[in-house]
Amino acid sequence: MQGAGQRTVICYVGVGANLGDPAGNCLAAMDLLASRRDLRLVRRSSLYRSEPVGVEDQPWFVNAVAEIATGLSARELLAALLAIESGMGRIRENRRGGPRPIDLDLLLYGQEMIREEGLIVPHPELHKRRFVLAPLAEIAPYVIHPAFGVSVRGLMDRLEDDAVVEVL
């Protein structure tokens, strides 16, 4: 996974689905991540059942977070996530928050802050979403959000989102 002089970065990927078999789709996506030679799945959270946020007239979601170690750049990792989504039947549309068979979001890429066309890290909504913070806090409560200097647990404590999120 790592060549000479190449560093390994710990990243967190949000995993979600609400079409087809959402729990099975989330597990399959994490298995696909684990099967890649250019990254290592360090651990995964439990699966969580989550009430839709934003577009409420749709099935509830299943969400999880995967911790990844990789030598890929953030842009390369994003491309890998999009390829997995596409392979699992995800068609990205302009409509945000709608139903989907799988959704993979790059939440954190080490402690880097990246603002490029099509790539913003940390994920700009991470600190506002219980369905992301609950599984992230399960596996990485002490990771610090690079923009706010607050731990994931601290973000959970400050969270105003009261949407239902429960362990499956």
Side-chain angles (χ1 to χ4, degrees):
M1 178 180 73
Q2 191 170 352
Q6 185 180 20
R7 68 187 181 120
T8 298
V9 179
I10 298 296
C11 310
Y12 294 90
V13 175
V15 181
N18 73 338
L19 292 179
D21 172 9
N25 291 353
C26 288
L27 293 172
M30 289 188 281
D31 286 345
L32 287 168
L33 286 168
S35 72
R36 292 185 58 103
R37 297 170 62 116
D38 51 6
L39 56 82
R40 182 172 54 87
L41 179 63
V42 177
R43 62 186 147 182
R44 58 177 87 180
S45 73
S46 302
L47 296 178
Y48 289 75
R49 181 175 174 265
S50 308
E51 164 178 28
V53 175
V55 180
E56 296 174 8
D57 184 24
Q58 61 179 320
W60 281 44
F61 282 82
V62 172
N63 293 99
V65 169
E67 180 179 328
I68 305 294
T70 187
L72 294 174
S73 70
R75 179 68 65 186
E76 291 167 333
L77 180 55
L78 177 63
L81 299 178
L82 294 174
I84 289 171
E85 284 185 350
S86 178
M88 292 184 67
R90 169 83 188 264
I91 299 170
R92 286 197 167 258
E93 301 172 2
N94 289 336
R95 180 177 178 221
R96 293 177 48 90
R100 62 205 68 164
I102 194 66
D103 184 32
L104 300 174
D105 289 328
L106 180 53
L107 303 174
L108 295 167
Y109 183 82
Q111 284 291 297
E112 291 191 31
M113 294 194 296
I114 304 166
R115 269 194 147 345
E116 299 173 2
E117 182 67 33
L119 177 62
I120 300 174
V121 179
H123 190 286
E125 301 293 316
L126 172 129
H127 63 288
K128 300 177 187 176
R129 295 177 169 171
R130 183 173 302 279
F131 67 84
V132 174
L133 286 175
L136 184 57
E138 177 190 332
I139 63 171
Y142 302 112
V143 166
I144 301 297
H145 189 292
F148 301 131
V150 175
S151 70
V152 171
R153 171 57 54 208
L155 293 173
M156 276 291 291
D157 291 344
R158 294 166 172 77
L159 189 60
E160 295 180 11
D161 174 8
D162 61 358
V164 175
V165 176
E166 54 199 19
V167 176
L168 276 180

